[in-house]
Amino acid sequence: MNKAIFLNSLFLLFTTSVFSQKVPPPRPYGALPNQNQLDWQENNIYAFVHFGLNTFTNKEWGYGDEDPSLFNPKDFDADQIVRSIKQGGFKGIILTCKHHDGFCLWPTKTTEHNITQSPFRNGKGDMVKEVEEACRKYGLKFGVYVSPWDRNSPKYGTEAYVKMYRAQIAELLSNYGSVFEVWHDGANGGDGYYGGARETRNIDRSTYYNWPSIWALEKKLQPQALIFGDIGPDLRWVGTEKGFAGDPCWQTYTPESRIPGKPPTNGTILSKVAINGTRNGKYWMPAEVDFSIRPGWFWHKDENNKVRSATDLWNHYFLSVGHGASMLLNIPPDTDGKIYKTDSINLKEFGDILYKTISNNLAIGAKITASNVRGKDQKHYGTKFLLDNNQFSYWATDDQVHTPQLLITLPEARTFDIIRLKENTKLGQRIDTLAIDIWQNNQWHFLAGASSIGSNRLIRLANKVTAKRIRLRIIKSPVCIALSDFALFSQPKIMVDKITNNKSNMSKANWQVLNIDNAHLLIDNNENTFWQSKAANFPQEVKIDMGNERTIHSFSYLPRQDGSNVGNIDQYKFYISNDKQHWQEVAEGEFGNIQSNPILQNISIGKPVKARYFCFKILHTADGNKPNIAELSAQ
Ligand code: FUL
């Protein structure tokens, strides 16, 4: 080989090896999920089954003195229970093996107050086993709820009880195969039967159970099980039993303290921190949204006409799973030991809608171009990974590119009303805010925005839109992007007709906030999101371009709907304009009683006016805090 050829081959060898080498992946950002939490991400819809003596005494919380002979579900049918739940699209079941009344649904060696003392299967039954086996048969995961508070046990309050509680957990985690979640409620201590003492026993929730040692026992016996508690360690309580997560709902969380325990008035205390999580929180600890298909957790005959409809469940799916939390829906069997027909029918309808909707990703076939691809390395970080239905393969940008854009061109104009986004959470929760636009009438129109993406984010539009070209703009991120999924869906027409959640049906697709950056949440037609001003000085103005001239009869202000009354506006002025220069005042006044009753405030303007622009001038908030707006409309 002569020298020239040799050098040439050396050069070729060098360049090929350099250029085919994978560009290093982005560095992970912040707290990261563990393997169990990663596995949970695609299994985030599961059911609670509350069943026990309360079902027969018609109570929500048994005192602990209930006679086990009352526990007699004559037609108990674990298959029917599991089948009904499976038809709802649920992927697992968590059974109340022991609720606060202390009655155990399995033949435990730790207490007499258990199923062997009941007529069920002539005292030979094991309901935990029956439900577990039915779960295996139908391919559902199986989990256990074991209440730490025990109003039956004479030992409650002493060390001996904690030992007994640990033994109960050990039995459940040793004899019933693989368990996917262990659920500890936070209701603890108070009055009870306590073996006949009938007294109040208060315990120190921060020390009594020695939670870290219980978690260690659980991890040892079932390493793959997620542990749920008010503050984790794997999944956190969302802070309400009403069936929604905040918006945003970060998957990272820094609890106010590491001491578990919520007051016995469980459900009435709404922890703002839990509901929204913590941006850049210390721990990866996604929220779990537990709520019931009926007003109560246990079955009560007089609630047979108060079962949530499929539409209602569908709305709550978006408010939980759609916000990056899990949906833990309670479906309590009746006194026969079956899922009541209304519950079962509604579940099936919900499951069908869910399946029909998400099995047809309308983004498939799209051509996606990105303003930046990490190291120009299409092979490893290209946009094709956004459509491959793999939550961990992803499109990434260069380290210094934090606000890239995607242009999505569908094969033809398609109609959708749901957008799904996912980040590769193995690299943390990275994106703060993004916006989606569609191309219509030769220009881009803002469609929707979202804060906090994480493992799953669903944006549901108030109206269906048809578009061929879509633009995704990352507005804020502290680091480069690692997005793994972009999907579009169209919910069945019947659901759209029935949706009650989005009160405003007026399209704001062409609307823009003129004078404030990142304020799209106040015109996103979603009452569960809100914009909050950065300042608490007054007056402040919000100027809106409605895209074209309209006749306005009234305007409306909806304050935040998340249960917090911070920053509700109570004095305003309202102006209109046709050129953004000259403004005419058409209304002025106050929103009376907004603190006690923060509902939609609709103000009619004496004489209808024509305008393209309006300005909402905020003069005051009821508590002097930074003003909030969930929705601003003019009609
Ligand atoms: C709470 C309990 O007090 C309720 O009865 C119910 O079991 C709910 C899921 O957890 O802590």
Side-chain angles (χ1 to χ4, degrees), residues 204-218:
D204 179 349
R205 278 180 258 168
S206 57
T207 53
Y208 180 54
Y209 299 104
N210 189 358
W211 283 112
S213 80
I214 292 181
W215 296 337
L217 170 73
E218 292 167 344

Side-chain angles (χ1 to χ4, degrees), residues 317-480:
Y317 178 78
F318 287 92
L319 294 172
S320 51
V321 173
H323 291 192
S326 56
M327 174 171 174
L328 172 52
L329 179 72
N330 178 56
I331 303 146
D334 59 14
T335 43
D336 284 344
K338 290 185 174 145
I339 302 299
Y340 188 73
K341 57 178 188 290
T342 314
D343 309 44
S344 165
I345 290 167
N346 295 1
L347 278 176
K348 165 98 172 64
E349 198 189 334
F350 166 73
D352 289 349
I353 294 161
L354 180 61
Y355 179 76
K356 248 192 224 146
T357 307
I358 61 172
S359 58
N360 187 15
N361 178 358
L362 297 162
I364 296 296
K367 188 172 159 270
I368 307 185
T369 54
S371 59
N372 176 278
V373 171
R374 189 172 184 78
K376 298 198 172 64
D377 183 352
Q378 297 283 352
K379 190 167 156 216
H380 297 102
Y381 305 110
T383 56
K384 64 180 178 211
F385 296 114
L386 292 162
L387 299 175
D388 68 354
N389 206 23
N390 177 338
Q391 56 173 329
F392 302 124
S393 67
Y394 59 107
W395 157 64
T397 59
D398 287 322
D399 282 347
Q400 71 284 7
V401 178
H402 300 182
T403 54
Q405 299 194 0
L406 290 175
L407 280 181
I408 299 132
T409 309
L410 301 172
E412 67 277 318
R414 289 180 178 171
T415 302
F416 58 91
D417 51 8
I418 298 167
I419 302 154
R420 187 182 69 195
L421 298 156
K422 297 181 187 188
E423 289 185 272
N424 174 11
T425 55
K426 283 186 181 170
L427 299 174
Q429 189 158 24
R430 306 169 77 88
I431 298 169
D432 275 289
T433 320
L434 55 73
I436 312 266
D437 309 310
I438 50 170
W439 182 259
Q440 268 176 350
N441 304 327
N442 288 325
Q443 53 178 313
W444 288 111
H445 295 278
F446 169 75
L447 189 61
S451 251
S452 133
I453 307 302
S455 65
N456 197 38
R457 186 70 153 112
L458 300 171
I459 303 172
R460 184 166 57 156
L461 307 173
N463 297 293
K464 288 193 187 292
V465 291
T466 303
K468 184 175 157 78
R469 295 179 67 200
I470 300 155
R471 183 171 69 177
L472 183 148
R473 287 178 284 132
I474 307 286
I475 292 172
K476 191 172 167 217
S477 171
V479 279
C480 68

Side-chain angles (χ1 to χ4, degrees), residues 48 50 54 60-61 96 99-100 145 149 183-187 230 237 241 262-264 266-267 290-291 297-298 328 330:
F48 246 155
H50 274 63
N54 292 340
E60 278 290 295
W61 280 11
T96 51
H99 202 249
H100 312 327
Y145 172 128
W149 185 24
W183 213 91
H184 303 291
D185 65 276
D230 289 355
W237 187 46
E241 293 176 352
K262 59 188 170 192
N266 164 40
D290 60 322
F291 66 113
W297 289 100
F298 286 85
L328 172 52
N330 178 56

